[in-house]
Amino acid sequence: MNIALVAETAPAKTLIPIIEKLDDDEIISLTHDTGAMELLSPYSVDIKAIGESRKNTSVKRSNFTIGRLVLQDTYKTYKALKNSDTDLVITCGNSGDVRKGILAAKKLDIPVLHMEQDIYNPIEMIAYANLITVPNNVAQKNLKKMYEIGFCLVRLCGIITSDIKSATSGFCRALHGLRSTAGLRTF
């Protein structure tokens, strides 16, 4: 299975225990962050830069300029996924990279498995993921309230726990479940 990971540094650290449990999978990593590139490079057959950080700039940018740059980065993400024969996109975190990854995957009809970490401020784009994992029941209730994401979608992969070992194991079970349903594209 060809898997594309989309994450920045902190979420990339969360994905490593999952990546280590995968076998015979080709992984490409998509990020703008050099820290994430360094963390994911031992596990990836390829790493693609999908833009650059919008933070910490000394020059004030207009909303139009920021919008243009985000669209350019989204197009880079789209091209990277289109040229990689990806079967599944795994996103983690609540960054712009995740938004770009989910949007590009949706356009290419590639299933997305999103691992939510920010239980108080999840991004709106995760509503377009095929599977969503959450760390606990509070996060599940927040998703239902904020984005009307139902319990069946959030509970589908069985990861409603604060125990990282159980979450990793459940996440891998969900991944293998997707693998066995090759034609799966949406729920």
Side-chain angles (χ1 to χ4, degrees):
M1 178 175 244
N2 295 325
I3 299 170
L5 301 176
V6 183
E8 291 180 8
T9 302
K13 290 177 187 175
T14 303
L15 289 171
I16 289 173
I18 295 162
I19 297 167
E20 289 174 339
K21 289 184 179 253
L22 299 175
D23 52 312
D24 301 332
D25 294 298
E26 297 261 328
I27 295 173
I28 65 162
S29 296
L30 305 158
T31 185
H32 78 267
D33 190 72
T34 55
M37 289 178 185
E38 290 172 12
L39 284 169
L40 296 172
S41 65
Y43 309 99
S44 304
V45 295
D46 195 10
I47 295 181
K48 305 263 187 210
I50 56 170
E52 56 188 62
S53 177
R54 305 286 175 247
K55 294 180 184 175
N56 300 328
T57 60
S58 58
V59 178
K60 175 77 173 132
R61 295 178 178 162
S62 70
N63 288 340
F64 178 80
T65 300
I66 292 171
R68 180 181 51 80
L69 293 170
V70 168
L71 284 174
Q72 286 174 339
D73 292 352
T74 303
Y75 184 66
K76 285 180 190 174
T77 308
Y78 172 84
K79 284 193 325 186
L81 288 175
K82 186 174 182 176
N83 296 330
S84 68
D85 194 31
T86 300
D87 300 308
L88 175 69
V89 173
I90 299 176
T91 61
C92 186
N94 68 347
S95 67
D97 286 356
V98 169
R99 285 182 175 96
K100 296 170 215 169
I102 292 174
L103 181 61
K106 186 76 175 165
K107 182 69 178 160
L108 292 166
D109 202 25
I110 301 169
V112 176
L113 188 54
H114 178 74
M115 181 183 234
E116 185 56 46
Q117 293 179 304
D118 189 351
I119 62 172
Y120 300 106
N121 189 28
I123 61 170
E124 70 291 338
M125 193 60 75
I126 66 170
Y128 295 100
N130 299 86
L131 286 173
I132 301 169
T133 66
V134 295
N136 56 39
N137 287 329
V138 172
Q140 177 182 333
K141 288 175 186 172
N142 282 349
L143 288 179
K144 183 174 172 77
K145 182 180 174 184
M146 293 172 81
Y147 302 119
E148 298 179 7
I149 296 173
F151 285 100
C152 61
L153 178 63
V154 175
R155 285 189 180 270
L156 199 56
C157 55
I159 304 170
I160 307 296
T161 179
S162 59
D163 175 21
I164 190 65
K165 187 173 182 182
S166 298
T168 301
S169 148
F171 196 83
C172 288
R173 280 195 308 276
L175 180 58
H176 290 293
L178 276 178
R179 184 179 286 147
S180 66
T181 55
L184 177 65
R185 286 294 181 235
T186 58
F187 287 99

